[in-house]
Structures are given as C-alpha cells and as structure tokens.
Amino acid sequence: MFKAIVFACMIQSPEECLQLDDTWGLKPTKVQCEARIKEMIGSVKFVIPEYEIVGAKCEKIGTMT
C-alpha cells in the first residue's frame, strides 16, 4: 500500500512549507499513488495558489493482505 504525499512552500516565504497527506486513503499500487499525486497537485494549485509544489512522494506503508 502507498500513501501519497505532496510538499508545498509559500512563494513569498519559502521557509513556510506544508506536508499534505492524502486523506482519501492508501493506494494499492505505486502507479495509482502517482496518479493521486497528480490530482493532489492540481488541487493544491487551485485551493492555495500562494504555495508552490516543491516535491511529492509515494510512501510505502505495510503490505497488502
């Protein structure tokens, strides 16, 4: 299982950064996680345009049973 995480920093104050964790739940594959990251990035740019995306990752969480 993979957790989608996006990192964003304020354009005017680069030291003010956020870690945004996906609240829609874990994704079973890395491909699905990467697709979710793309969705999240689009939302961040729309909801908080004063922040710039500085990174993202799919964090492996446990294993599927």
Side-chain angles (χ1 to χ4, degrees), residues 13-27:
S13 300
E15 67 281 351
E16 290 188 46
C17 298
L18 302 172
Q19 175 178 317
L20 306 163
D21 297 335
D22 185 12
T23 59
W24 288 8
L26 300 176
K27 304 298 176 237

Side-chain angles (χ1 to χ4, degrees), residues 4-6 30-45 53 56-58:
I5 303 169
V6 174
K30 189 168 184 180
V31 170
Q32 289 173 318
C33 178
E34 289 168 347
R36 178 63 182 133
I37 283 174
K38 289 180 185 176
E39 293 173 350
M40 290 172 66
I41 287 171
S43 294
V44 169
K45 289 179 180 180
I53 303 302
K57 70 176 182 177
C58 289

Side-chain angles (χ1 to χ4, degrees), residues 5 9-10 17 22 29 52 59:
I5 303 169
C9 294
M10 186 172 268
C17 298
D22 185 12
T29 69
E52 182 175 322
E59 185 175 287

